[in-house]
Amino acid sequence: MSQDEEVSLVDVLLEDEQLEEEASAVLAGSDPHHCSYPRGYVRRQALYACNTCTPAGGAEAGICLACSYNCHGGHDLFELYTKRTFRCDCGNSKFPEDVKCKLNPDKEDVNTLNKYNHNFFGRYCTCQRPYPDPEDQTEDEMIQCVVCEDWLHGRHLGAEVPEGAEQMEMICEACMKKNDFLWTYAAHLTGAPDEATGSDTSQQEAETGTDDATEPGGKRRRREVETSCHLKKFQAANREVQKSGAVFWRQGWRSEICCCPSCKESLTAAGLLFLSDDSDTVLSYENEGRHNEQRRHDSDPLMSALNNLDRVQQLEIIHGFNDMKTELKDFLRSFASMGMVVTPEDIRRFFEQQTTRQRSRANDRRL
């Protein structure tokens, strides 16, 4: 095994906390113990597809986090990250007759409002390739479209991935062209914050002569809700935009989507009303996951016990943990240097040695 691979093994150990945080962001917003089916079409949840039970050639099906653990353990699963407005399919008519949901077997044959795409068969992007792709040697990030929720390679977006893209939302070219009105918003809601629509709105209000000085605030707000249309104002500004490629939207863009009665009706008909909802975002879901994980952490009996110890006792435990972590890294490094596989028996032997050392140290202190 090369030196680079040895360092990589140590790096994985050092980055354990970061990996746990990332997993918590995705998984802690979903229930790992109870099937989500009784909750109906969940706003957003972590989903999986089982290639063992519903392989390509059959019907697409998605299962919740709890069912991936309890009903499909050891199966070949595709991780779908998160998807919106989905009800767990586990054990329904899309599965073989001998496959039943162990957590909630009483389910309707199909979930008619679920939406599926090729991700459920392990294919992604316009190139229809798996991820990870063993035949693709090109380093490239994959970005999820917030409309169709497919994952696309950066090089297949038809647009340059901007700096700070991880803080933005992306709508792919196919979804933009399918919903042509989005190009009007794109002319105003992408780019730097100083290009935001506030200046356009203020200019329109100045032209119509309406401001807080001429109308009471409450009356003005009610009138705007009833009659004003941001989309029409954007259209009147007549900004040109190149109608090609994916679009990256700046932070806060959803709050600028017009929800006047006419636009709300159009968004609903197109199945895009969620675009006006900030809580629909993956970021909102991940923040909820982190919050849930923090609450679980705060209620952990072990952490509660640690918090009840005095400072000296806490430091002793922390030093002991750090010593164990260092010894574990050294132990694994020896396997990495020799190119050997770590077995469960090796791990048991390591912790038995740790227990023996702790007892020896305790006896030395008593003497």
Side-chain angles (χ1 to χ4, degrees), residues 51-72:
N51 190 41
T52 303
C53 297
T54 55
E60 307 103 323
I63 60 176
C64 68
L65 177 64
C67 286
S68 75
Y69 292 154
N70 294 278
C71 307
H72 300 269

Side-chain angles (χ1 to χ4, degrees), residues 55-100:
E60 307 103 323
I63 60 176
C64 68
L65 177 64
C67 286
S68 75
Y69 292 154
N70 294 278
C71 307
H72 300 269
H75 290 190
D76 180 16
L77 299 179
F78 298 127
E79 184 176 359
L80 304 178
Y81 195 56
T82 73
K83 291 188 182 293
R84 69 169 63 83
T85 320
F86 198 94
R87 196 173 196 183
C88 181
D89 287 321
C90 180
N92 67 13
S93 63
K94 295 193 171 189
F95 289 76
E97 291 185 2
D98 60 336
V99 177
K100 303 297 181 184

Side-chain angles (χ1 to χ4, degrees), residues 24 37 51 91 113 121 157 163 211 228 230 234 252 263 316 335-336:
S24 296
Y37 182 85
N51 190 41
L113 299 184
F121 291 136
L157 291 175
E163 185 176 348
D211 55 35
S228 66
H230 288 176
F234 295 154
C263 285
E316 288 180 351
F335 284 84

Side-chain angles (χ1 to χ4, degrees), residues 14-42:
L14 293 175
E15 293 173 2
D16 181 62
E17 290 184 6
Q18 180 180 351
L19 293 173
E20 281 192 12
E21 181 179 351
E22 292 175 356
S24 296
V26 176
L27 301 182
S30 297
D31 189 338
H33 305 294
H34 304 92
C35 177
S36 65
Y37 182 85
R39 296 167 55 195
Y41 292 89
V42 180

Side-chain angles (χ1 to χ4, degrees), residues 170-332:
M170 183 274 290
I171 298 181
C172 70
E173 181 177 23
C175 289
M176 290 295 298
K177 290 185 174 180
K178 182 179 178 181
N179 304 281
D180 191 68
F181 72 95
L182 289 175
W183 293 112
T184 299
Y185 284 116
H188 298 263
L189 304 182
T190 59
D194 58 3
E195 298 175 8
T197 57
S199 59
D200 296 326
T201 303
S202 300
Q203 181 179 356
Q204 292 287 336
E205 291 178 350
E207 292 173 355
T208 56
T210 59
D211 55 35
D212 289 332
T214 59
E215 286 191 65
K219 180 179 179 182
R220 176 172 176 266
R221 283 192 294 272
R222 285 194 300 273
R223 182 185 59 78
E224 287 187 341
V225 168
E226 294 170 358
T227 63
S228 66
C229 177
H230 288 176
L231 179 58
K232 290 181 179 179
K233 292 178 181 179
F234 295 154
Q235 290 170 338
N238 198 30
R239 284 191 183 178
E240 293 186 3
V241 61
Q242 182 178 350
K243 295 184 177 183
S244 65
V247 173
F248 287 83
W249 304 78
R250 61 175 175 78
Q251 288 187 353
W253 72 280
R254 290 186 182 226
S255 63
E256 300 289 345
I257 299 296
C258 183
C259 275
C260 73
S262 177
C263 285
K264 186 173 183 179
E265 182 179 350
S266 298
L267 288 170
T268 301
L272 297 177
L273 188 59
F274 61 85
L275 288 182
S276 63
D277 183 4
D278 284 324
S279 66
D280 168 79
T281 63
V282 172
L283 177 61
S284 177
Y285 170 87
E286 290 182 343
N287 287 338
E288 177 188 357
R290 292 188 180 95
H291 178 68
N292 291 343
E293 182 65 14
Q294 184 59 49
R295 285 193 302 178
R296 186 200 66 76
H297 184 271
D298 292 342
S299 62
D300 190 321
L302 181 60
M303 293 305 300
S304 298
L306 184 61
N307 290 334
N308 289 329
L309 299 176
D310 61 40
R311 183 65 176 168
V312 174
Q313 292 171 315
Q314 289 179 347
L315 288 175
E316 288 180 351
I317 291 177
I318 291 172
H319 286 314
F321 174 78
N322 286 335
D323 289 343
M324 186 273 289
K325 189 174 181 179
T326 299
E327 291 173 2
L328 178 59
K329 285 192 296 180
D330 291 340
F331 177 75
L332 294 177

